[in-house]
Amino acid sequence: MKEKIVFGLILSMIISSCSQETSVKKDPIIWPEATAPIAELKAFQRIIHGDTVQDPYYWMNDYFKKGPDSSKVVSYLEAENNYTKAMMQDTEGFQDVLFKEMKSRIKETDESVPYLKNGYYYYQRTEEGKQYYKVCRKKGNLQAPEEVLLDVDKMAEGFPYYSLGGVSVSPDNKMVAYGVDTVSRREYVIYIKNLETGEILKDRIARTSGSAIWANDNKTLFYTAKNPVTLLSEKIKRHTLGTDSKTDATVYDEKDNTNYIGVWKSKNDQYIFIQSGGTLSSETLYLRSDDPNGTFKVFQPRMKNVLYSVTPLADRFLIQTNDGAQNFKVMETPLDKTGKENWKEYIPHRKDVLIEGLDEFENFLVVSERKNGLTNLAIRNLKDNSQHYMDFGEAAYTVYSSANPEYHTDVVRYGYTSMVTPSSTYDYNMKTKDKTLLKQQEVLGGYDANQYTTERIMAKVRDGVEVPISIVYKKGTKKDGKAPLLLYAYGSYGSSMDPTFSSTRLSLLDRGFIFAIAHIRGGEEMGRQWYEDGKMMKKKNTFTDFIDCGQFLVDQKYTSKDHLYAQGGSAGGLLMGAIINMAPELWNGIIAQVPFVDVVNTMLDETIPLTTNEYDEWGNPNQKEAYDYMKSYSPYENIEAKEYPNLLVTTGLHDSQVQYFEPAKWVAKLRATKKGSNVILLKTDMDYGHGGASGRFDYLKDVALNYAFLFKLEGIRE
């Protein structure tokens, strides 16, 4: 979940002045006498591989198909919203306090650290009371007059949702291309603005991924076009300024619908690359940036079970690949000989180090690595191949190469954060090894990192593997099993959930909650094998890891079953659905955000966005072995007549990643099947999609609802 930061100024000052062992008022839990919606049942059968499954809630898929049940879908979702509002009505005042509390921690008038690109310093700034931001630049130095390229606050007026996509300035600094999504389905229209006159050109490029790449002639753009039904990225097209986008030439057409594609430009501005890749294999094509009408060449034809990506230097190409190297290695090859037969080893494979990325400069290479679950930056001198690592001094932290568009510099910009350290931006001179703190996220209201403690512990799970857990809590919180604890994880796609700071989280910690991240298999925290052991036919490791981490925290007296909560979104929502089927007794409450819970039906429907792209992650249920395994854990398929924990489910009607009907069907079936009196609440945002609200404050209302749900279950009223 993308968390920004929020808290009420007066209350935050009071809390920060309290003793470390904060006293929180607790009251008995009282749920209103509201009647939960009962979803209509309609006969529908799924028959495949000789297996017949009844799905009486299948009709809920109908909204985007505009079929006969389309209006019934909206009515049902609105009824669920009304029920959630009624059940949480007694917390509305508290939610408002939480919203203001969290919002008050945000420095409303703020500015990002400027970065230099092609003679201009670029930055974004925000203004008090405004939901969005302004994209700005200054020519030559920071004392120069400000030029506002895009005033997103003004552009977003009148739209309930507004997302600005890739912002790309032409090489001559005279034009800017940008994408706009006003529906929240990640389908962007690209516009071009003349920065000298302020004119928005007549060029309109619809159904794109949002980003456009300029060739060196300042009039040719390359972009990724999407399928209007599946929203898959299928084609790379070329657009010439002043022409109708309907006539744009297709320069690349991806025939493998399990691959994602994209287009980008090298930092040295010499090449334009097309990348096509899935979970298991990839392919790169390239073209000289000064030859936009030329033909893209294949760098190395795609190889079975081999991923590779290309980084151009002045005298050679570097290739990051897992060919015979599970945690990746780096190869090099001449500029005119790109085939694999010419590759030579540059950075060898290491079993205990995952190479995650390369950031090239004229004289240095920055290698992003991961070892023992922690991120590192290795600085390599391209002249003599000497290398050194940066030192950060905390037990659990996150470091990453930040905005570094300038090629001719010896300074790398990096970001640093931990669960108690606000997001910080540094410049590091790779030659002198001097570092400079440029900015640390300012948390209004008197945040003191010394009042909080962060830990990193290892939980041994059922097959003997040790899983890292990152923990943060306010000093004075006792480990006697009575503290409430919120456990978070994702566990899919090799996405690592690294320990980071969140000022919204302070509203939990200051009321006695412990917050923990379980770095479970399916992510890549402990290397590529960590990911391989949590996908496809090993997916259940993700779920059992999380359950065992929760039990470990109970056994170690961080919390108890009566006070243990879990949260996850999207594929992490699948995790939430699986764990309540497998171990419902372990959790008092669950927050499942945009949850991917109807795995089999979704993966059988190739008209749904992303389905075919996901076969390498989950399996293809058209194959019986994959079907049987997916069905054995899919949350929707495995609901039983038993007691489930209290549940808050959130979704968005326009979600293109996890369609609204998955959580809606799941909630309906759970409510009709479960035993006991625990509540199930469904909140659908009728204006937004997968990422929630687009404004920098609106999303805090969703956070406030989530926190109020947890606090209500704990009897915390203020």
Side-chain angles (χ1 to χ4, degrees), residues 388-540:
H388 69 274
Y389 285 89
M390 301 173 66
D391 180 40
F392 306 107
E394 281 192 274
Y397 63 87
T398 299
V399 65
Y400 53 92
S401 179
S402 185
N404 288 288
E406 192 66 22
Y407 181 68
H408 303 286
T409 179
D410 291 336
V411 175
V412 60
R413 180 161 296 171
Y414 71 90
Y416 180 87
T417 183
S418 75
M419 297 183 87
V420 297
T421 305
S423 181
S424 307
T425 301
Y426 288 86
D427 271 356
Y428 179 78
N429 190 304
M430 295 177 280
K431 185 177 292 184
T432 66
K433 302 182 182 179
D434 294 327
K435 70 177 179 181
T436 303
L437 175 62
L438 301 175
K439 181 177 182 178
Q440 184 171 89
Q441 172 192 342
E442 187 175 349
V443 183
L444 302 183
Y447 171 71
D448 180 4
N450 293 319
Q451 291 190 32
Y452 302 87
T453 297
T454 183
E455 298 179 13
R456 187 171 184 267
I457 60 176
M458 304 296 288
K460 182 174 286 188
V461 299
R462 63 192 66 185
D463 62 358
V465 170
E466 290 192 325
V467 176
I469 305 176
S470 297
I471 302 173
V472 64
Y473 53 87
K474 192 165 188 180
K475 289 181 179 178
T477 302
K478 295 180 179 179
K479 299 177 187 177
D480 57 3
K482 297 180 181 179
L485 187 148
L486 177 60
L487 183 62
Y488 176 84
Y490 186 70
S492 292
Y493 303 106
S495 295
S496 298
M497 295 294 106
D498 293 313
T500 59
F501 179 80
S502 165
S503 67
T504 57
R505 193 186 298 141
L506 298 177
S507 293
L508 282 179
L509 305 184
D510 288 344
R511 290 174 173 83
F513 263 78
I514 298 172
F515 180 82
I517 303 172
H519 304 288
I520 54 181
R521 282 174 285 187
E524 218 167 49
E525 286 93 335
M526 302 294 281
R528 183 74 177 180
Q529 188 64 50
W530 204 248
Y531 169 45
E532 299 289 347
D533 286 343
K535 65 190 282 280
M536 296 290 283
M537 307 302 283
K538 297 181 179 180
K539 188 62 206 172
K540 290 182 183 178

